[in-house]
Amino acid sequence: MNFSGLDLRIQWPLVVVPWLTPDSAIVGEEKMSLRNRLSKSSENPGKDEDQKTPTKESLEIPSNGQIDIKQVLAKKRQLTAEAEELKPLFLKEVGSHFDDFVTNLIEKSASLDNGGCALTTFSILKEMKNNHRANELFEVDHIRTIYHMFIALLILFILSTLVVDYIDEGRLVLEFNLLSYAFGKFPTVVWTWWTMFLSTLSIPYFLFQHWANGYSKSSHPLMYSLFHGLLFMVFQLGILGFGPTYIVLAYTLPPASRFIVILEQIRLIMKAHSFVRENVPRVLNSAKEKSSTVPIPTVNQYLYFLFAPTLIYRDSYPRTPTVRWGYVAMQFAQVFGCLFYVYYIFERLCAPLFRNIKQEPFSARVLVLCIFNSILPGVLILFLTFFAFLHCWLNAFAEMLRFGDRMFYKDWWNSTSYANYYRTWNVVVHDWLYYYAYKDLLWFFSKRFKSAAMLAVFAMSAVVHEYALAVCLSYFYPVLFVLFMFFGMAFNFIVNDSRKRPIWNILVWASLFLGHGVILCLYSQEWYARQHCPLKNPTFLDYVRPRSWTCRYVF
């Protein structure tokens, strides 16, 4: 069988949960059912033959017992044509069954502990491919062509900028003022990150180790656990939560530098929570079974997890045999290429758009024109963000760490429902929300409150997104929160998994285009308004009241 299509399907969405132990019963049932069908058909061959009725298509054997060769050849050509017609359907059916098999495998194994797991999905991949590396997503011709189209568009952006600057200035202007401003005060970013990282490496691990070693010996284990849990919450919210936020505000870091600090802050908070959440039940079970050993991960295991491109802690993960350093360099080069791409998008498409608003007051006409003019740059930024972070950045770290789980996203572009889009756009974050927010809420309350748990997860995600934007842009303008909580939540229930027709994929794309146009337009308008209409003594309300609604731009 040709495994070229299978090859792609496993590699770039490798396993969401890399610690799976496949259930051989699934494969066994498939083989057994096949054997049963074959044996039943072979047990009573005469019975089947008796039931057959002669048709016009069956070969007519003359009375002399000889078969007409022409008739045989015609019948063979007919069967060959029918086989060619059925071949695509057969391949599609095989691919569908394989998808179902892998999905069931993941769902059945996700809840299993990884202790003693010798067989993983990655090892299955290695055996199937005879120890050859699976193909990359962007080695597929169709995807590669889209990649080439984006490169061609980047070249045109560069040429456009150079030509326009040469015509306006009479010389080539190779300045990157926007990039240098956005990533300013970078030394502050570096020492802030080191402080966050070292505190996350030491404090949660020390607290957990101290609690685990003393839990079974404590005379009041509940109070002992609550005390350590309180200390952990103080670290999460007080030190790791408040500290970086205070630094970016006190040192007035520019937007891109703020995004680096705040996104790393959120990532480390999620990592620390996963480490504690996964290991506490193991210690409780060990104490319940009165085991002589306490299951405490090593520092090296925790350190590896802090760098690994996953938010779900496990003691070990599937590992690749070697590191392709050329591949790593290429991924980082593409990340930097995307940064320059975004720069040219803002330089050629965004800055002229918002500078041309000039002194025209805020109105419905201005808003509508701004939104539709912002759709193209908004969509380009969406694609670049996806490619730079979820593909290049995470794959680069996965390759350096020989991390076998490369399922950072699925085929979200084929989604016919918003429910599927949310599950497949960012698998890394989705897994964390699913296991530690959604499932834990269902366990704590009841499985009857599924809708309430889903609403709580949406609210949590919307608040965190809005927090990041508010801190990084220095103003509160809850456009993303409103879109996420109201339209996103409504679409999640209305455009659900029962929508399978292609028209729903078109509607998903149309709404994504429009939504990103709204986000880019409104946040950019507010940014320019606060730059060109500053207040001398702003009050708290001035930070939360949209200034773009009342400001008349003065250039």
Side-chain angles (χ1 to χ4, degrees):
M1 183 181 291
N2 182 8
F3 284 97
S4 59
L6 174 65
D7 177 6
L8 167 66
R9 187 170 298 147
I10 293 190
Q11 191 321 354
W12 60 269
L14 265 182
V15 237
V16 170
V17 208
W19 45 91
L20 304 182
T21 303
D23 188 352
S24 59
I26 301 175
V27 184
E29 289 178 5
E30 294 293 332
K31 293 182 178 178
M32 186 60 67
S33 61
L34 180 60
R35 289 196 198 99
N36 290 340
R37 289 195 296 269
L38 293 176
S39 60
K40 286 180 181 179
S41 61
S42 60
E43 283 175 0
N44 301 313
K47 182 179 179 181
D48 292 338
E49 292 175 1
D50 294 340
Q51 291 175 351
K52 292 180 181 178
T53 57
T55 62
K56 294 181 180 180
E57 296 179 355
S58 38
L59 293 174
E60 297 179 0
I61 303 177
S63 57
N64 59 4
Q66 296 180 352
I67 300 177
D68 188 357
I69 299 300
K70 293 183 178 180
Q71 188 178 1
V72 172
L73 293 176
K75 183 65 177 177
K76 183 177 180 180
R77 284 194 295 268
Q78 180 183 355
L79 293 175
T80 303
E82 292 177 357
E84 289 295 329
E85 292 178 0
L86 292 175
K87 182 179 178 180
L89 298 176
F90 172 76
L91 294 176
K92 183 177 180 181
E93 189 70 17
V94 170
S96 175
H97 281 297
F98 181 79
D99 283 342
D100 294 339
F101 167 73
V102 173
T103 302
N104 291 333
L105 189 66
I106 291 173
E107 291 177 352
K108 286 178 178 294
S109 305
S111 60
L112 297 179
D113 186 76
N114 67 318
C117 294
L119 186 61
T120 64
T121 309
F122 188 73
S123 64
I124 295 175
L125 170 67
K126 288 171 62 180
E127 186 173 340
M128 288 171 50
K129 290 306 297 173
N130 215 7
N131 293 326
H132 290 293
R133 291 186 180 275
N135 291 333
E136 296 293 334
L137 171 64
F138 285 84
E139 290 180 3
V140 179
D141 290 339
H142 302 291
I143 303 296
R144 194 76 182 175
T145 300
I146 298 175
Y147 175 77
H148 293 160
M149 291 167 58
F150 270 83
I151 294 178
L153 188 59
L154 173 60
I155 295 173
L156 291 177
F157 272 132
I158 296 173
L159 290 176
S160 173
T161 303
L162 294 177
V163 169
V164 171
D165 287 343
Y166 183 80
I167 294 175
D168 291 342
E169 303 291 336
R171 61 186 178 89
L172 293 178
V173 181
L174 298 176
E175 296 179 356
F176 299 98
N177 295 329
L178 180 61
L179 281 178
S180 60
Y181 161 72
F183 289 93
K185 301 183 179 181
F186 204 74
T188 305
V189 176
V190 173
W191 68 257
T192 303
W193 182 87
W194 273 110
T195 304
M196 289 192 298
F197 173 76
L198 293 176
S199 62
T200 307
L201 176 63
S202 57
I203 297 177
Y205 185 84
F206 171 77
L207 286 175
F208 172 77
Q209 185 184 48
H210 187 268
W211 170 81
N213 287 325
Y215 175 78
S216 58
K217 303 174 185 177
S218 174
S219 56
H220 301 282
L222 179 59
M223 296 301 298
Y224 184 80
S225 300
L226 289 176
F227 174 73
H228 284 80
L230 179 62
L231 292 178
F232 179 70
M233 291 298 296
V234 169
F235 166 77
Q236 289 281 76
L237 300 178
I239 299 177
L240 197 55
F242 176 76
T245 305
Y246 173 79
I247 290 174
V248 300
L249 296 177
Y251 285 83
T252 60
L253 298 183
S257 297
R258 292 192 181 197
F259 270 109
I260 295 174
V261 173
I262 297 303
L263 293 181
E264 279 296 285
Q265 173 200 47
I266 296 171
R267 183 183 73 91
L268 292 174
I269 288 176
M270 297 170 77
K271 291 259 189 182
H273 178 85
S274 176
F275 173 76
V276 173
R277 172 63 180 81
E278 292 292 338
N279 285 288
V280 164
R282 298 168 61 185
V283 175
L284 295 177
N285 291 334
S286 176
K288 184 178 180 181
E289 296 172 359
K290 300 185 183 303
S291 175
S292 58
T293 59
V294 181
I296 301 177
T298 64
V299 177
N300 288 337
Q301 290 173 323
Y302 181 48
L303 178 62
Y304 182 89
F305 168 64
L306 289 181
F307 283 103
T310 178
L311 295 174
I312 307 294
Y313 175 81
R314 287 297 183 268
D315 288 341
S316 61
Y317 301 93
R319 305 290 293 274
T320 57
T322 59
V323 177
R324 299 172 293 173
W325 290 108
Y327 175 84
V328 173
M330 184 61 182
Q331 300 308 307
F332 281 126
Q334 291 180 127
V335 171
F336 286 108
C338 289
L339 288 178
F340 284 100
Y341 209 143
V342 172
Y343 161 76
Y344 283 111
I345 289 175
F346 274 100
E347 188 72 21
R348 303 309 310 160
L349 298 179
C350 296
L353 171 65
F354 297 106
R355 286 170 184 163
N356 288 335
I357 294 177
K358 295 189 181 293
Q359 297 180 355
E360 190 171 4
F362 185 86
S363 63
R365 174 182 174 276
V366 172
L367 179 62
V368 171
L369 292 177
C370 174
I371 290 174
F372 281 97
N373 288 328
S374 301
I375 288 178
L376 176 59
V379 171
L380 290 175
I381 293 173
L382 166 68
F383 291 148
L384 290 170
T385 303
F386 159 73
F387 179 70
F389 179 71
L390 290 175
H391 184 81
C392 298
W393 186 264
L394 296 183
N395 270 298
F397 273 88
E399 188 69 25
M400 287 190 295
L401 296 171
R402 299 194 295 113
F403 187 78
D405 177 5
R406 306 294 173 93
M407 189 153 104
F408 308 126
Y409 56 90
K410 297 181 184 178
D411 57 337
W412 58 270
W413 47 86
N414 292 327
S415 298
T416 56
S417 67
Y418 261 87
N420 185 70
Y421 168 75
Y422 293 141
R423 289 193 298 265
T424 56
W425 157 255
N426 188 340
V427 173
V428 180
V429 174
H430 170 267
D431 287 348
W432 193 94
L433 291 173
Y434 177 76
Y435 287 108
Y436 303 137
Y438 180 72
K439 292 194 72 173
D440 282 357
L441 285 173
L442 290 182
W443 170 82
F444 187 78
F445 292 103
S446 173
K447 291 187 177 181
R448 296 175 298 176
F449 298 96
K450 287 187 176 181
S451 298
M454 187 179 298
L455 179 62
V457 173
F458 264 89
M460 179 191 304
S461 181
V463 168
V464 172
H465 280 79
E466 195 57 49
Y467 156 76
L469 284 176
V471 173
C472 296
L473 298 178
S474 300
Y475 59 80
F476 178 73
Y477 196 19
V479 176
L480 183 62
F481 180 85
V482 172
L483 291 177
F484 210 92
M485 278 302 297
F486 293 96
F487 294 98
M489 174 63 81
F491 288 159
N492 182 68
F493 289 102
I494 297 174
V495 189
N496 52 42
D497 289 331
S498 63
R499 315 297 186 183
K500 299 296 184 182
R501 298 177 60 186
I503 184 64
W504 293 105
N505 182 246
I506 297 174
L507 292 177
V508 168
W509 273 112
S511 58
L512 284 176
F513 289 168
L514 184 61
H516 283 83
V518 170
I519 291 172
L520 180 62
C521 168
L522 293 182
Y523 280 109
S524 297
Q525 278 189 342
E526 186 67 18
W527 173 268
Y528 272 86
R530 291 178 179 269
Q531 295 296 315
H532 297 286
C533 296
L535 300 178
K536 293 183 178 180
N537 297 309
T539 63
F540 175 76
L541 290 178
D542 292 326
Y543 286 102
V544 299
R545 184 188 297 120
R547 202 171 301 173
S548 57
W549 296 2
T550 57
C551 171
R552 294 176 65 87
Y553 296 102
V554 180
F555 292 86

Short mmCIF file of all heavy atoms in Angstrom, two decimals, residues 273 277 433-445:
data_model
loop_
_atom_site.label_atom_id
_atom_site.label_comp_id
_atom_site.label_asym_id
_atom_site.label_seq_id
_atom_site.Cartn_x
_atom_site.Cartn_y
_atom_site.Cartn_z
N HIS A 273 1.34 25.42 36.26
CA HIS A 273 0.07 24.80 36.66
C HIS A 273 0.01 23.35 36.19
O HIS A 273 -0.42 22.46 36.95
CB HIS A 273 -1.10 25.58 36.07
CG HIS A 273 -2.43 24.98 36.39
ND1 HIS A 273 -3.11 25.24 37.56
CD2 HIS A 273 -3.21 24.10 35.69
CE1 HIS A 273 -4.24 24.57 37.57
NE2 HIS A 273 -4.32 23.86 36.45
N ARG A 277 -0.41 20.19 38.56
CA ARG A 277 -1.68 19.48 38.36
C ARG A 277 -1.45 18.01 37.98
O ARG A 277 -2.23 17.13 38.38
CB ARG A 277 -2.47 20.19 37.26
CG ARG A 277 -3.74 19.47 36.79
CD ARG A 277 -4.75 19.35 37.91
NE ARG A 277 -5.94 18.67 37.45
CZ ARG A 277 -6.06 17.35 37.34
NH1 ARG A 277 -5.04 16.57 37.68
NH2 ARG A 277 -7.18 16.81 36.91
N LEU A 433 -6.49 23.99 27.86
CA LEU A 433 -7.83 24.43 28.25
C LEU A 433 -8.78 23.25 28.43
O LEU A 433 -9.62 23.24 29.34
CB LEU A 433 -8.39 25.40 27.22
CG LEU A 433 -7.72 26.78 27.14
CD1 LEU A 433 -8.27 27.57 25.95
CD2 LEU A 433 -7.94 27.56 28.43
N TYR A 434 -8.63 22.25 27.57
CA TYR A 434 -9.53 21.11 27.64
C TYR A 434 -9.29 20.29 28.90
O TYR A 434 -10.24 19.92 29.61
CB TYR A 434 -9.35 20.24 26.40
CG TYR A 434 -10.20 18.98 26.41
CD1 TYR A 434 -11.56 19.04 26.15
CD2 TYR A 434 -9.63 17.74 26.70
CE1 TYR A 434 -12.34 17.89 26.17
CE2 TYR A 434 -10.39 16.59 26.71
CZ TYR A 434 -11.75 16.67 26.46
OH TYR A 434 -12.52 15.54 26.49
N TYR A 435 -8.03 19.99 29.21
CA TYR A 435 -7.72 19.10 30.34
C TYR A 435 -7.78 19.81 31.69
O TYR A 435 -8.24 19.24 32.67
CB TYR A 435 -6.35 18.46 30.15
CG TYR A 435 -6.33 17.40 29.09
CD1 TYR A 435 -5.71 17.62 27.86
CD2 TYR A 435 -6.96 16.18 29.29
CE1 TYR A 435 -5.71 16.65 26.88
CE2 TYR A 435 -6.96 15.21 28.32
CZ TYR A 435 -6.34 15.45 27.11
OH TYR A 435 -6.35 14.48 26.14
N TYR A 436 -7.32 21.06 31.74
CA TYR A 436 -7.18 21.73 33.03
C TYR A 436 -8.27 22.75 33.32
O TYR A 436 -8.38 23.21 34.46
CB TYR A 436 -5.81 22.42 33.12
CG TYR A 436 -4.67 21.47 32.91
CD1 TYR A 436 -3.59 21.83 32.11
CD2 TYR A 436 -4.67 20.20 33.48
CE1 TYR A 436 -2.53 20.96 31.91
CE2 TYR A 436 -3.62 19.33 33.27
CZ TYR A 436 -2.55 19.71 32.49
OH TYR A 436 -1.51 18.83 32.29
N ALA A 437 -9.04 23.11 32.33
CA ALA A 437 -10.16 24.03 32.57
C ALA A 437 -11.49 23.30 32.38
O ALA A 437 -12.27 23.15 33.32
CB ALA A 437 -10.06 25.24 31.63
N TYR A 438 -11.73 22.81 31.18
CA TYR A 438 -13.02 22.20 30.87
C TYR A 438 -13.26 20.92 31.66
O TYR A 438 -14.27 20.77 32.36
CB TYR A 438 -13.10 21.94 29.38
CG TYR A 438 -14.40 21.30 28.93
CD1 TYR A 438 -15.59 22.03 28.91
CD2 TYR A 438 -14.44 19.97 28.53
CE1 TYR A 438 -16.78 21.44 28.50
CE2 TYR A 438 -15.61 19.38 28.12
CZ TYR A 438 -16.78 20.11 28.11
OH TYR A 438 -17.95 19.53 27.71
N LYS A 439 -12.34 19.95 31.58
CA LYS A 439 -12.54 18.67 32.26
C LYS A 439 -12.51 18.82 33.78
O LYS A 439 -13.25 18.13 34.49
CB LYS A 439 -11.49 17.67 31.80
CG LYS A 439 -11.65 17.23 30.35
CD LYS A 439 -10.82 16.01 30.03
CE LYS A 439 -11.40 14.78 30.69
NZ LYS A 439 -10.71 13.53 30.27
N ASP A 440 -11.64 19.69 34.29
CA ASP A 440 -11.59 19.89 35.74
C ASP A 440 -12.86 20.55 36.26
O ASP A 440 -13.33 20.25 37.36
CB ASP A 440 -10.36 20.71 36.12
CG ASP A 440 -9.09 19.88 36.10
OD1 ASP A 440 -9.19 18.66 35.85
OD2 ASP A 440 -8.00 20.43 36.31
N LEU A 441 -13.43 21.45 35.47
CA LEU A 441 -14.70 22.07 35.88
C LEU A 441 -15.82 21.03 35.89
O LEU A 441 -16.66 21.03 36.80
CB LEU A 441 -15.04 23.22 34.94
CG LEU A 441 -14.24 24.51 35.12
CD1 LEU A 441 -14.57 25.50 34.01
CD2 LEU A 441 -14.54 25.14 36.48
N LEU A 442 -15.84 20.16 34.89
CA LEU A 442 -16.85 19.09 34.88
C LEU A 442 -16.67 18.14 36.05
O LEU A 442 -17.65 17.66 36.63
CB LEU A 442 -16.77 18.32 33.56
CG LEU A 442 -17.23 19.04 32.29
CD1 LEU A 442 -17.12 18.11 31.09
CD2 LEU A 442 -18.66 19.55 32.43
N TRP A 443 -15.42 17.84 36.39
CA TRP A 443 -15.16 16.95 37.53
C TRP A 443 -15.57 17.62 38.85
O TRP A 443 -16.13 16.97 39.73
CB TRP A 443 -13.68 16.60 37.57
CG TRP A 443 -13.27 15.89 38.83
CD1 TRP A 443 -13.41 14.57 39.11
CD2 TRP A 443 -12.66 16.49 39.99
NE1 TRP A 443 -12.92 14.30 40.37
CE2 TRP A 443 -12.46 15.46 40.93
CE3 TRP A 443 -12.27 17.78 40.30
CZ2 TRP A 443 -11.88 15.70 42.17
CZ3 TRP A 443 -11.68 18.02 41.53
CH2 TRP A 443 -11.50 16.99 42.45
N PHE A 444 -15.31 18.92 38.97
CA PHE A 444 -15.58 19.61 40.23
C PHE A 444 -17.08 19.83 40.44
O PHE A 444 -17.59 19.66 41.55
CB PHE A 444 -14.86 20.95 40.25
CG PHE A 444 -14.95 21.67 41.57
CD1 PHE A 444 -14.15 21.29 42.64
CD2 PHE A 444 -15.84 22.72 41.74
CE1 PHE A 444 -14.25 21.94 43.86
CE2 PHE A 444 -15.94 23.39 42.96
CZ PHE A 444 -15.13 23.00 44.02
N PHE A 445 -17.78 20.20 39.39
CA PHE A 445 -19.21 20.47 39.52
C PHE A 445 -20.01 19.21 39.17
O PHE A 445 -20.40 18.45 40.02
CB PHE A 445 -19.62 21.65 38.64
CG PHE A 445 -19.05 22.96 39.11
CD1 PHE A 445 -17.96 23.52 38.47
CD2 PHE A 445 -19.58 23.62 40.20
CE1 PHE A 445 -17.41 24.72 38.90
CE2 PHE A 445 -19.05 24.82 40.64
CZ PHE A 445 -17.95 25.36 39.99
#
